[in-house]
Amino acid sequence: MEASICRNLDGWWAEAYAPEVGWALGDGQNMTDDPAWDAAEPRPLYGLLDTKSSEFYTRDEKGIPTAWWRGMRESMARLTPRFSANRTVREYTSNTTSRLLAG
């Protein structure tokens, strides 16, 4: 139930993925330059778009896509605190300051 994040299960998305906050493609394995993989790769994406994109187009009486909006809010609430530049800088500053003060 999410419209903003649709990624292969690699990098930060492998750590962050949950069905409530996005869509996952693949199985987390490294992808190769194999032409067979390139040909097969779009199928799961098309399947997701075919089944999940209705969340954006299904709207209430005010014209608001409530399922899409709910997924967006859930994504932001869960992911922003863990995967943001603000958290990264705060963590880096804290670790650096601690090491400097420790001598």
Side-chain angles (χ1 to χ4, degrees):
M1 166 195 302
E2 206 281 327
S4 70
I5 301 176
C6 179
R7 288 189 43 115
N8 281 320
L9 280 173
D10 62 359
W12 71 273
W13 193 232
E15 183 181 343
Y17 172 71
E20 300 82 24
V21 299
W23 305 332
L25 296 173
D27 57 7
Q29 300 299 312
N30 286 334
M31 308 306 155
T32 65
D33 290 333
D34 180 3
W37 172 250
D38 290 342
E41 189 174 29
R43 282 189 218 112
L45 175 60
Y46 294 151
L48 278 172
L49 292 174
D50 190 38
T51 59
K52 301 290 187 174
S53 63
S54 64
E55 294 174 359
F56 181 74
Y57 294 104
T58 304
R59 296 170 184 256
D60 66 11
E61 64 281 349
K62 296 179 184 175
I64 298 171
T66 53
W68 178 82
W69 188 249
R70 191 170 34 254
M72 292 294 295
R73 291 177 56 92
E74 185 69 22
S75 292
M76 292 171 68
R78 284 193 190 192
L79 299 177
T80 301
R82 291 176 55 205
F83 300 96
S84 69
N86 187 27
R87 183 215 43 94
T88 305
V89 170
R90 209 175 38 243
E91 186 177 290
Y92 174 79
T93 303
S94 174
N95 290 343
T96 303
T97 303
S98 297
R99 282 194 300 256
L100 289 173
L101 292 174

